[in-house]
Amino acid sequence: MKPDFRVEKVAAPLRQSVTESIRYAIALGHFSAGERLTERALCEMTGVSRTLVREALRQLESEGLIEVVPNRGPMVTRLSAEQAEGVYQVRTELEGLACQLFAEHASDKQRTALHEAFRNLKKSLKDTDPLARLRAKNHFYECLVEGAGNQALGDTLRLLNARIMLLRATSLRAPGRTTASLAELSDMMTALDEKNGKKARTLAELHVRNAAKTAIALLYAQPEPAPTKPKRAAKPTETASRLGSR
């Protein structure tokens, strides 16, 4: 099933919805690394105005998901394997801590919300829409961080969220990774239910390290981008000839 990135004009702030739509489109490979993003294409994809698209692009630039190249405009950031390793190192520590804090401090209501998110995640794995699967995985982690009860931790993870989501989508494209990921999360959920913070942290760290191995291997396997050919400088005689013909 082809994902639909058109924005639903509902209660959430429209700019936030537009930003999320473009972010998901990049994460799922609708736009590839290094690809130029035109306002016209983004307006057609999301069904909103250029003003909202521009605001969304500024937000995504601040997240490091796109970069504005002089004379070319916004382009999808190309994440190298080395950069991915750095993101995963930080993610391992942060998500491990989030699981430990959740196990030790989450309320009954937050535990119920996490279980519901996990059930939806398992259902989504049978869905042919990759966007539905990625949304479900992200919602699961949102519930996890909410239950951890540490605002600084949540703020830090949100700063990394765009790149984490991009790498999450990359790892889940690997054959067999989805099944393995679900098994790892099931073990982690058991530890959270037992309120065993240390065990939950260990299992969360293992889950991230396994995802890292998969995603980084895929990134290393990608062909190097072709170098951009510099424009040939005009010879003095050619410049003079063009000027004389005006």
Side-chain angles (χ1 to χ4, degrees), residues 15-139:
R15 183 179 65 176
Q16 178 182 330
S17 298
V18 176
T19 304
E20 183 179 88
S21 177
I22 299 173
R23 189 188 291 122
Y24 277 123
I26 293 172
L28 293 173
H30 184 78
F31 299 109
S32 56
E35 183 174 348
R36 182 170 175 264
L37 300 174
T38 65
E39 290 181 1
R40 180 178 179 180
L42 294 174
C43 288
E44 291 176 353
M45 182 188 78
T46 58
V48 300
S49 68
R50 286 177 181 265
T51 299
L52 285 168
V53 164
R54 288 169 186 162
E55 291 176 353
L57 289 174
R58 284 195 289 271
Q59 173 62 32
L60 294 173
E61 183 184 11
S62 72
E63 296 175 4
L65 202 56
I66 70 167
E67 53 185 334
V68 178
V69 180
N71 302 320
R72 296 202 66 187
M75 301 180 69
V76 179
T77 299
R78 189 181 296 277
L79 197 62
S80 69
E82 291 80 6
Q83 289 172 315
E85 287 177 343
V87 171
Y88 273 117
Q89 286 176 345
V90 176
R91 183 186 161 195
T92 300
E93 297 298 325
L94 293 180
E95 291 190 8
L97 176 59
C99 277
Q100 181 176 350
L101 293 176
F102 187 100
E104 295 171 351
H105 303 297
S107 66
D108 291 342
K109 182 178 180 180
Q110 289 167 334
R111 293 177 188 278
T112 299
L114 186 67
H115 271 280
E116 182 178 355
F118 187 56
R119 284 194 296 271
N120 290 335
L121 174 59
K122 289 190 287 187
K123 290 179 183 177
S124 75
L125 298 181
K126 300 176 183 178
D127 200 317
T128 57
D129 182 2
L131 181 56
R133 295 197 297 270
L134 191 54
R135 284 184 186 276
K137 190 77 179 281
N138 287 339
H139 180 61

Side-chain angles (χ1 to χ4, degrees), residues 220-242:
Y220 273 119
Q222 291 178 354
E224 289 293 324
T228 304
K229 293 182 179 180
K231 294 182 178 178
R232 184 175 64 88
K235 295 180 180 179
T237 54
E238 294 175 340
T239 304
S241 176
R242 286 198 299 269

